[in-house]
Amino acid sequence: KQLFFAMAAALSFQLATAQTGVPEGMEITAQEWCKSVKAGWNLGNTFESCGAEWQNTTWSWSDNSDYTTRQNWETSWGNPAPDEAMIKAVADAGFNAIRIPVRWEPHVTDYSTMAIDPVWMKKVKDVVDLCYKYDMYILLNIHHEMWLEANPYYSSQAKINEWIGKLWTNIATVFKDYDGRLAFAGINEVVHDRNTWGSPSPENSEVFNSYHQTFVDAVRATGGNNMYRNLVVQTYSCNPDYGVGIPTDKVQNRLSVEFHYYQPWNFAGAGTEYYWNDVNGLRNRFTQYANQWWKQGLGVIVGEYGCVMHYQAGASAATQKAQKENVE
């Protein structure tokens, strides 16, 4: 999984500071933040991993553990815990941005306030600090929160908005003084059925868009640098064709739209097709997305993309080689 964003000159930031009174280090707009990123890397399957199953009907974990037993869940999917050697290796490889997906709910110590276990928060904060040490851009989100991602319905809207608001208040407060290299993404891959990633109903869209508004309002309310921090909203199920309602913001030019790109799915994800060459179709789609968002002053982020390496098991060695190389 990778990220791609985009850049602007330091002189324009200085002028913006002088003209608008924006805090030093927070002058960067959404489009400038996007342009600043040469290539990004996802710290995936660590901070969003878990050692038990979430039960969406009871809003509880199958093992009935509490946050103190979940403090090492970042290794539960087999990846090593992030450390400086890892972040340095990513920076040395030429990446200048890291997306940090985080599942926060297992580490909530008080659901009335959505307070986060300080042990867990320190682990996340330490990685953010390492990204700063190596002069990287950071996209921090809430990820694999199943109470949120599978519930775009009126019946749970009020409770979920309450949790989102309090959760982001706590996260944003911790990072309140960090400069503009750090951006927040409010949610991740909300769908109406975990097994059916189809287009949203009017109810799905309305509820989904309310989650973004709650996120933006909560972050802005913490003040300080967060008043000008770049914030990211996602398209429904992160499918760019399903769109998103852009939330109202107190500041201008600080919002980006994120989508994920594993298309065509049968080739890139399912691995049931062995050849792809629709370059013109890809260009046309990205031109459409640019017209829809970038030309309206929004940043645009491909938060994830990828393609499985696959080949037909019963094919000849020559055919398998061609399939792996995407050559007809």
Side-chain angles (χ1 to χ4, degrees):
K1 295 180 177 180
Q2 305 223 340
L3 300 169
F4 284 94
F5 313 111
M7 187 163 193
L11 178 59
S12 67
F13 302 162
Q14 296 169 3
L15 291 173
T17 302
Q19 293 170 0
T20 67
V22 175
E24 183 178 358
M26 300 306 298
E27 307 89 352
I28 187 168
T29 68
Q31 292 193 342
E32 290 166 347
W33 193 95
C34 289
K35 289 179 179 179
S36 298
V37 176
K38 300 172 185 176
W41 180 80
N42 271 268
L43 180 63
N45 295 332
T46 53
F47 286 135
E48 86 275 25
S49 63
C50 61
E53 292 294 325
W54 172 258
Q55 310 297 313
N56 219 26
T57 54
T58 60
W59 287 45
S60 64
W61 289 94
S62 59
D63 63 351
N64 295 315
S65 62
D66 64 19
Y67 63 89
T68 59
T69 65
R70 304 170 188 160
Q71 291 175 348
N72 295 314
W73 267 14
E74 71 269 28
T75 61
S76 60
W77 287 356
N79 280 1
D83 59 12
E84 182 167 359
M86 178 187 293
I87 303 305
K88 182 178 184 301
V90 173
D92 289 347
F95 297 96
N96 76 327
I98 291 185
R99 179 173 179 252
I100 306 177
V102 182
R103 191 189 310 236
W104 300 93
E105 181 278 332
H107 312 282
V108 168
T109 61
D110 181 350
Y111 285 95
S112 67
T113 62
M114 297 302 285
I116 301 160
D117 175 17
V119 173
W120 187 254
M121 178 59 80
K122 184 178 185 303
K123 290 186 177 187
V124 177
K125 186 175 181 295
D126 285 349
V127 172
V128 173
D129 290 342
L130 285 171
C131 292
Y132 270 89
K133 179 177 179 178
Y134 291 97
D135 196 24
M136 305 181 85
Y137 290 81
I138 307 104
L139 183 60
L140 181 67
N141 77 358
I142 63 176
H143 201 97
H144 283 329
E145 303 282 8
M146 304 312 298
W147 52 272
L148 162 62
E149 293 180 13
N151 277 315
Y153 299 105
Y154 295 136
S155 59
S156 52
Q157 181 178 11
K159 181 175 182 177
I160 290 176
N161 272 316
E162 179 184 0
W163 277 24
I164 290 173
K166 292 177 178 178
L167 193 57
W168 270 112
T169 296
N170 292 325
I171 299 167
T173 299
V174 169
F175 295 100
K176 183 176 181 178
D177 296 327
Y178 284 63
D179 71 24
R181 286 172 288 178
L182 174 64
F184 297 149
I187 58 179
N188 181 72
E189 293 187 350
V190 169
V191 297
H192 47 278
D193 185 320
R194 295 311 300 178
N195 297 313
T196 307
W197 291 55
S199 59
S201 69
E203 176 184 3
N204 298 150
S205 293
E206 181 181 342
V207 174
F208 168 72
N209 290 330
S210 77
Y211 297 160
H212 287 307
Q213 189 65 61
T214 296
F215 155 63
V216 171
D217 292 345
V219 173
R220 296 292 183 235
T222 62
N225 285 353
N226 287 333
M227 179 59 68
Y228 299 94
R229 189 167 309 285
N230 281 296
L231 305 179
V232 180
V233 299
Q234 292 189 335
T235 59
Y236 190 84
S237 79
C238 278
N239 185 325
D241 298 326
Y242 294 159
V244 59
I246 304 302
T248 301
D249 196 3
K250 293 181 178 180
V251 293
Q252 293 183 334
N253 305 319
R254 294 298 194 277
L255 293 179
S256 293
V257 173
E258 177 188 354
F259 62 87
H260 298 170
Y261 207 80
Y262 300 98
Q263 297 184 22
W265 178 252
N266 285 344
F267 175 79
T272 56
E273 295 179 4
Y274 305 101
Y275 183 73
W276 175 88
N277 70 346
D278 186 17
V279 176
N280 287 334
L282 178 66
R283 288 188 178 126
N284 290 338
R285 284 189 289 275
F286 274 70
T287 298
Q288 173 191 332
Y289 307 145
N291 290 336
Q292 187 172 355
W293 296 309
W294 187 268
K295 288 191 175 180
Q296 307 308 314
L298 298 162
V300 180
I301 295 171
V302 183
E304 300 177 14
Y305 74 86
C307 181
V308 297
M309 186 180 76
H310 56 285
Y311 54 89
Q312 196 170 4
S316 67
T319 298
Q320 290 181 351
K321 182 176 184 296
Q323 290 172 341
K324 286 190 287 184
E325 294 176 354
N326 194 39
V327 178
E328 279 189 308

